[in-house]
Amino acid sequence: RVVVALSGFAEEVRESVTLALGSRVEVEFRLRLSGTTENVRVVAEAPLVDTQRTAVATVVSQQQIESLPIDGRNFMSFAVITPGVSTDRTPQQGASATSGLTFAGQRARSNNITVDGLNNNDMTLGSVRATFSQEAVQEFQVLTNSYTAEFGNATGGVLNIVTKSGTNQLSGNVFGFVRDDAMNAKGHFEKVDPLGQPVNLEKAPYSQEQFGATLGGPIRKDRSFFFLSAERLNIGASNLVTIDDRTVVLHPFTGAPLGTPAQILRAAGFPVETGNVGYAVRNTQFLAKVDHQVAPGHSLALRFNTGDSLNENTEPFGGITAKSRAAALEATDYVFAVSDTSVLSSRWVNELRFQYAYRDQVVRSLDPACGGACLRSDQGGPTLEVTGFASVGRQRFTPQTRTNALWQVVDTVSLTTGAHLIKAGIDFSYTDDRTDGPVLPLHFGGRYVFQQLPAIPGLLPAPVNPIQAVALGLPAAYVQGYGVDRDLYSSSNVALFVQDDWQLGSRVTVKYGVRYQNQFWKDLSYRTAGYPGTFAFPKDGNNFAPRAA
């Protein structure tokens, strides 16, 4: 609501003026001579086309966030309703998460996610730090391309998220969603095995509970406000492992029974669970925000949010991939942010922001051979690839540990002068890597590959299939990773920008800007060293003892 009043003129009011995130709205007034009591009220109507916007951008409103259906309540998924944005379908390379969104075909690690104007990215891999309940989101803007120099850190797209604030009215809500396996039907492979034979497996267990609450209101009317949000997700699900535990495998030379493929793997020292094998997903999110009007034209906002998550299916299993080959992702995040906005005059506005964000994350194997939490390079393993039959053993990219702290300061100043709207700013951030564990120990647990072996006169009197090769201890290949499995990746990031919106007339606006950005990494020294031990196969090592390569 915009009111213009001047002595000797009729007061004029514009109702329902909507200022969406990232937009610029001009409201024109024509005051008429009048007595002091005359009022003119006009209801504003949104223009069909924003003639001053050049970026390909869409605002996902609070009404859409609250009204549209979504599984899992991940509000960022609403970005796919905008043109040019889709869910990332790139084959997974390791267990590390991404933003899950692709903009115009760009990879999902090339996006920039901001919250209240501050960085919310895991700078090491391009994934997203902890978010919060969709109940805490006011709205967010999706910038697909052609965005201004103010936005950087992306060759893909930008998600610009704004959190809710409290108001003069005390309000809140409580919500809960429950799903249970009683509402599910049997899956295909619970009725038919991979060979097409009828089976009668128990229905897969499943439960999902998601609940939370929000509360916001005044601390001091018209001056200070608070907003709180909390949400919890518990999922108990399962994947169907179809490694054959029914068909007896015969010795390729003597015809003697060797057991089922699953029994052969167990005898070789690789635990295999078949059927519906369970896993857990848990997520806890909390946000607290305080807004304070220090003086007219001067406001202060403080935000704290935290997230704690576990996903035992981040490196998926199922089919002929056993749970021992899967990996779980555990992450804990803490974010503290401050924003100070000062209207210095009718022409000058300054925005100063600061944040401290801490992340502790680990991707660990679910291999039972680890004897507990798989957090060291010499725990668990090896990996076993049995072509066409099974994939078991330690996940070959694990364990991955990462602990870092992000410090960021952003200052932006805006100047309106004549036909120009000039905006300039500086963004400095420092990522302090505090990792104390393996970063990417690829194949450090060893990897065996079993494939079809042809008959070889004088050595193999008949062909040997991959699972028979496991029983006989005849791998086709062995891979051993070695070297130093950790290093620190601290870095600084500096960005400067200036941009100008120059309105040449009612129909022509010229936009131009420039941005400088640079990352400064510490010198990394890569070293190699021998791996302290190797694995023999089978367990007793009598048939085959590989050497580290």
Side-chain angles (χ1 to χ4, degrees):
R1 185 171 184 265
V2 183
V3 180
V4 173
L6 185 64
S7 178
F9 293 86
E11 180 184 281
E12 191 166 340
V13 180
R14 289 286 191 273
E15 302 281 1
S16 303
V17 178
T18 301
L19 187 63
L21 181 62
S23 67
R24 176 184 173 189
V25 176
E26 289 191 2
V27 184
E28 295 185 358
F29 294 88
R30 291 182 175 84
L31 302 185
R32 298 182 300 166
L33 292 170
S34 177
T36 58
T37 60
E38 184 175 354
N39 292 325
V40 177
R41 280 181 169 80
V42 180
V43 177
E45 295 183 0
L48 296 177
V49 177
D50 185 352
T51 58
Q52 297 185 2
R53 189 181 72 182
T54 57
V56 181
T58 303
V59 174
V60 180
S61 67
Q62 183 180 348
Q63 181 181 9
Q64 291 173 300
I65 294 172
E66 293 176 350
S67 303
L68 294 176
I70 187 169
D71 182 28
R73 293 171 55 80
N74 178 8
F75 64 89
M76 289 199 303
S77 298
F78 286 126
V80 299
I81 69 176
T82 64
V85 183
S86 62
T87 304
D88 180 35
R89 300 294 183 184
T90 305
Q92 184 165 327
Q93 300 295 319
S96 298
T98 72
S99 65
L101 299 171
T102 175
F103 289 71
Q106 297 287 334
R107 66 177 191 159
R109 299 189 192 277
S110 299
N111 303 323
N112 184 15
I113 314 299
T114 66
V115 176
D116 296 331
L118 289 162
N119 190 322
N120 197 53
N121 305 290
D122 183 330
M123 299 302 290
T124 306
L125 291 171
S127 60
V128 184
R129 289 179 180 265
T131 55
F132 27 80
S133 171
Q134 71 175 52
E135 304 290 330
V137 179
Q138 179 68 30
E139 59 185 351
F140 66 92
Q141 183 187 30
V142 184
L143 297 161
T144 314
N145 57 59
S146 301
Y147 34 85
T148 63
E150 181 180 2
F151 298 99
N153 293 325
T155 56
V158 176
L159 258 65
N160 188 15
I161 303 166
V162 171
T163 56
K164 286 183 180 178
S165 298
T167 66
N168 276 329
Q169 181 178 357
L170 184 66
S171 62
N173 69 340
V174 177
F175 57 89
F177 305 92
V178 177
R179 285 182 58 188
D180 190 79
D181 57 9
M183 297 180 282
N184 296 341
K186 278 192 173 184
H188 175 75
F189 288 108
E190 291 164 343
K191 298 180 288 185
V192 179
D193 71 9
L195 300 177
Q197 302 298 318
V199 295
N200 187 23
L201 299 180
E202 292 186 2
K203 185 169 60 174
Y206 185 85
S207 65
Q208 178 173 334
E209 303 166 352
Q210 197 161 9
F211 51 89
T214 65
L215 181 65
I219 300 174
R220 181 180 176 187
K221 188 175 180 180
D222 295 332
R223 292 292 300 276
S224 302
F225 313 91
F226 76 94
F227 181 82
L228 302 173
S229 169
E231 185 167 324
R232 171 75 175 183
L233 170 66
N234 293 319
I235 295 178
S238 64
N239 290 331
L240 183 62
V241 178
T242 58
I243 297 174
D244 192 355
D245 204 8
R246 303 173 65 196
T247 306
V248 176
V249 178
L250 302 180
H251 195 289
F253 311 145
T254 67
L258 298 173
T260 67
Q263 289 172 340
I264 292 174
L265 292 169
R266 294 182 190 120
F270 297 89
V272 174
E273 295 181 78
T274 60
N276 293 310
V277 182
Y279 67 87
V281 176
R282 295 191 294 270
N283 194 359
T284 304
Q285 301 169 329
F286 174 77
L287 178 142
K289 186 177 181 182
V290 174
D291 294 88
H292 177 62
Q293 195 74 20
V294 180
H298 185 195
S299 61
L300 187 68
L302 293 87
R303 170 174 54 86
F304 172 78
N305 62 281
T306 180
D308 187 83
S309 62
L310 166 69
N311 184 352
E312 291 185 336
N313 198 40
T314 191
E315 182 72 26
F317 65 96
I320 62 172
T321 301
K323 185 177 181 179
S324 65
R325 181 64 189 276
L329 187 149
E330 295 182 77
T332 301
D333 288 271
Y334 300 97
V335 180
F336 175 73
V338 181
S339 177
D340 181 276
T341 304
S342 302
V343 181
L344 305 176
S345 71
S346 61
R347 298 168 58 192
W348 291 92
V349 177
N350 189 79
E351 299 168 272
L352 178 63
R353 301 184 180 97
F354 165 82
Q355 80 161 335
Y356 171 78
Y358 174 84
R359 159 158 279 211
D360 187 4
Q361 175 183 299
V362 61
V363 179
R364 57 177 176 82
S365 172
L366 295 177
D367 185 1
C370 290
C374 211
L375 301 177
R376 299 198 317 268
S377 299
D378 58 355
Q379 286 182 295
T383 299
L384 214 65
E385 310 282 0
V386 188
T387 305
F389 286 87
S391 180
V392 298
R394 187 176 109 185
Q395 209 285 331
R396 55 199 178 98
F397 286 92
T398 61
Q400 299 175 31
T401 57
R402 189 163 67 257
T403 304
N404 58 50
L406 171 67
W407 304 81
Q408 183 184 18
V409 178
V410 182
D411 189 62
T412 304
V413 62
S414 302
L415 168 64
T416 303
T417 172
H420 295 269
L421 174 57
I422 302 171
K423 199 169 188 178
I426 181 172
D427 182 346
F428 173 79
S429 62
Y430 173 66
T431 302
D432 182 14
D433 193 337
R434 304 175 182 178
T435 302
D436 184 21
V439 176
L440 189 63
L442 179 59
H443 298 306
F444 269 45
R447 181 190 183 195
Y448 287 96
V449 180
F450 290 85
Q451 297 176 344
Q452 182 80 20
L453 300 177
I456 302 175
L459 184 62
L460 297 178
V464 178
N465 70 29
I467 195 65
Q468 291 171 333
V470 174
L472 299 177
L474 298 173
Y478 177 75
V479 180
Q480 175 68 64
Y482 63 94
V484 176
D485 60 5
R486 68 190 67 188
D487 210 332
L488 298 178
Y489 298 92
S490 299
S491 64
S492 300
N493 186 82
V494 177
L496 305 168
F497 80 91
V498 60
Q499 64 190 44
D500 181 21
D501 293 3
W502 182 14
Q503 190 166 354
L504 298 177
S506 59
R507 296 186 178 183
V508 179
T509 300
V510 177
K511 295 192 174 189
Y512 55 94
V514 62
R515 181 181 180 90
Y516 166 81
Q517 185 165 330
N518 201 353
Q519 287 182 312
F520 302 91
W521 294 81
K522 78 177 187 71
D523 292 334
L524 300 177
S525 56
Y526 293 97
R527 304 170 300 278
T528 60
Y531 187 69
T534 59
F535 294 87
F537 188 91
K539 288 186 297 181
D540 58 11
N542 292 333
N543 295 337
F544 183 75
R547 292 179 301 157

